[in-house]
Amino acid sequence: MELAPDDRAAASMFYIGYQASRYGAGAINVNALGNMESLAFRYCAAYPDRPAAEAFAQAYAIDRAAGR
């Protein structure tokens, strides 16, 4: 959360891509990126002591369950 906006965006893309790979996704829904990033940032704000990877895992799972 303390990264510069460009660095935070790059880290977000890394973690979203990582989660997509873990789920075996062949593609990433570009329209869902903003929602996943927002979910992950809210998780990080609520649980600052937990790893960022956990935040993006939660965000990806929520977005996937929503069928996006």
Side-chain angles (χ1 to χ4, degrees):
M1 296 302 293
E2 296 177 13
L3 296 174
D6 287 346
D7 293 337
R8 195 172 23 202
S12 293
M13 291 304 101
F14 169 79
Y15 282 115
I16 291 169
Y18 175 75
Q19 293 305 322
S21 176
R22 287 186 64 223
Y23 277 93
I28 295 173
N29 180 353
V30 176
N31 293 325
L33 292 177
N35 183 56
M36 283 189 276
E37 188 175 52
S38 178
L39 288 168
F41 289 169
R42 283 188 294 214
Y43 185 93
C44 286
Y47 304 100
D49 58 328
R50 296 193 181 155
E54 187 175 313
F56 283 93
Q58 290 284 335
Y60 195 89
I62 290 168
D63 194 75
R64 186 175 167 98
R68 293 186 204 139

